[in-house]
Amino acid sequence: MGLLGIYEKALPKGITWRKRLMMAKELGFDFVEISIDETDERLSRLDWTQDERAEVRQAIFDTQIPILSMCLSGHRRFPFGSHDEKIRREAMIIMEKAIQLALDLGIRSIQLAGYDVYYEEKDVTTRAYFLENLQKAVSLASAKGIVLSIEIMDDPFISSISKFLKIKSQVPSPYLQVYPDLGNLSAWGENDVAHELEIGFSHINQIHLKDTLAVTKDFPGKFKEVPFGEGCVDFVGCFRTLKQLNYNGPMVIEMWSETSEHPAEEIKKAKSFILGKMQEAQYHG
């Protein structure tokens, strides 16, 4: 199989990047996905000094564990599609800084949260603003050789690869790809998960692995912190489909155990679950 990574928020909070990368290595992962979420604390990483960036690069070199991807969920707070021009401007500043940070740290792929807006009412205008700013973002990223990859979300705006493909048709660049989250994809009952992976296959450049509870007419679904094996994802079926498609790209186990008492144990358990399902599907990349 391809490279298997671990999401930064699975690893203990408040440790150095060197320790974080070493822990990922000791747990048998090939890379780490960094989080730039909507908190001031993590958004401030976009303003790291040259020395701070050099320190992370040195840690990557010494541990031989790269940071291959960035989960840029900061746009949930500052979305491309906002009705507020100041927020849209801030969204583009965040995007420019994220692209530069990716370039400096050797990150290949920036995962964009596929929200037109999150804390505002959606309408035709929010979609239009989203597309306009996505086009600008792809242009900026392509100039630096960085791929932007839209995640399939916990939100109806882009809740399937089919919906991503409609966006892609408006921004037909090789620097815009899709980042399916098997949990999010499975939680929306209208999705035929295998078909979605098949139709979007040529645009998939990374995959998130997590479990979810399905959306129903009486339940909004649960998209985070569902223990592996307790949700609705048919991991064996997904891995069989990916095997059939000959997918050999990176995958990331997405977890939120950074404040747990025993994060390493939780990560080992999750990894064992995932590798077991891959084995059952006879999927080796």
Side-chain angles (χ1 to χ4, degrees), residues 199-210:
I199 61 169
F201 179 67
S202 60
H203 303 294
I204 295 172
N205 82 322
Q206 200 150 302
I207 291 173
H208 261 166
L209 305 173
K210 75 166 188 229

Side-chain angles (χ1 to χ4, degrees), residues 116-185:
D116 52 346
V117 289
Y118 187 79
Y119 299 112
E120 298 174 40
E121 287 294 314
K122 299 172 183 291
D123 55 29
V124 179
T125 303
T126 58
R127 184 180 189 277
Y129 281 141
F130 175 83
L131 277 167
E132 182 187 322
N133 285 315
L134 180 64
Q135 216 146 16
K136 290 177 190 170
V138 171
S139 185
L140 290 168
S142 62
K144 301 283 175 77
I146 305 290
V147 173
L148 301 185
S149 214
I150 295 181
E151 185 178 22
I152 304 308
M153 298 309 297
D154 55 350
D155 176 271
F157 184 63
I158 303 181
S159 55
S160 66
I161 295 176
S162 302
K163 287 181 178 178
F164 161 77
L165 291 172
K166 288 180 183 176
I167 298 291
K168 173 82 174 179
S169 71
Q170 302 301 306
V171 190
S173 166
Y175 288 89
L176 179 66
Q177 299 296 343
V178 69
Y179 194 137
D181 179 308
L182 296 186
N184 293 350
L185 199 56

